[in-house]
Amino acid sequence: MSKTPIDVPGGFVPAVAITLGEIDGEPQPITAATPMPVQTVHRASGSLPLSGETATSGTVGPFNPEIGREIVLTLGGDWQGEVRLHRSVDGGATTAPATLGGEELCWWRSLNEVVWVETEANVSLYLVATLSAGTLTYRFAQ
């Protein structure tokens, strides 16, 4: 292996290190204890998919998502009604509608798409189905 010479006018190699810190705080070197604030995105999810079918109105769940990963909802079957996404921060004791732009996330036809990205730890998601006919198949996955 050949070495790259240090040419004039430099004559030296400056010491450079990547650090993190607050605006008015002390910089901290990047180490195993203080890693770069990045996320690996190409890995298998640790959450278990939730799937099934129902012919009656009710609540399905919980689905316990992994933080920061897209949640794909698949709704299928021959059904009529509406399905809403709810979330709980207290283990399911209470739920509240998931909203986007102030509107509840609600579907009335089959789909297979990304519907949510959870950013809070220990949150569980639920589907609240109000069916007027047919059988709904569902699947939450990451």
Side-chain angles (χ1 to χ4, degrees):
M1 173 168 55
S2 65
K3 295 182 181 182
T4 303
I6 299 172
D7 290 329
V8 175
F12 64 93
V13 177
V16 177
I18 298 175
T19 62
L20 293 175
E22 300 294 323
I23 291 174
D24 292 328
E26 291 290 320
Q28 295 185 8
I30 304 301
T31 67
T34 55
M36 292 284 290
V38 296
Q39 178 182 9
T40 304
V41 293
H42 298 290
R43 59 181 171 77
S45 173
S47 66
L48 298 174
L50 174 68
S51 62
E53 65 179 33
T54 184
T56 61
S57 296
T59 300
V60 174
F63 175 70
N64 301 307
E66 196 172 317
I67 295 175
R69 293 187 63 123
E70 294 88 356
I71 298 165
V72 176
L73 175 62
T74 303
L75 300 176
D78 183 16
W79 62 282
Q80 294 175 2
E82 62 184 30
V83 177
R84 297 175 187 272
L85 179 64
H86 278 223
R87 59 191 296 270
S88 176
V89 296
D90 59 11
T94 60
T95 68
T99 61
L100 182 63
E103 298 293 323
E104 287 186 43
L105 294 179
C106 179
W107 302 276
W108 54 93
R109 63 178 178 248
S110 297
L111 66 111
N112 183 27
E113 63 188 56
V114 173
V115 297
W116 193 255
V117 177
E118 187 54 60
T119 58
E120 188 175 350
N122 302 315
V123 168
S124 49
L125 300 177
Y126 298 83
L127 292 179
V128 178
T130 306
L131 301 179
S132 56
T135 299
L136 170 70
T137 61
Y138 58 87
R139 184 174 193 269
F140 268 128
Q142 287 186 297

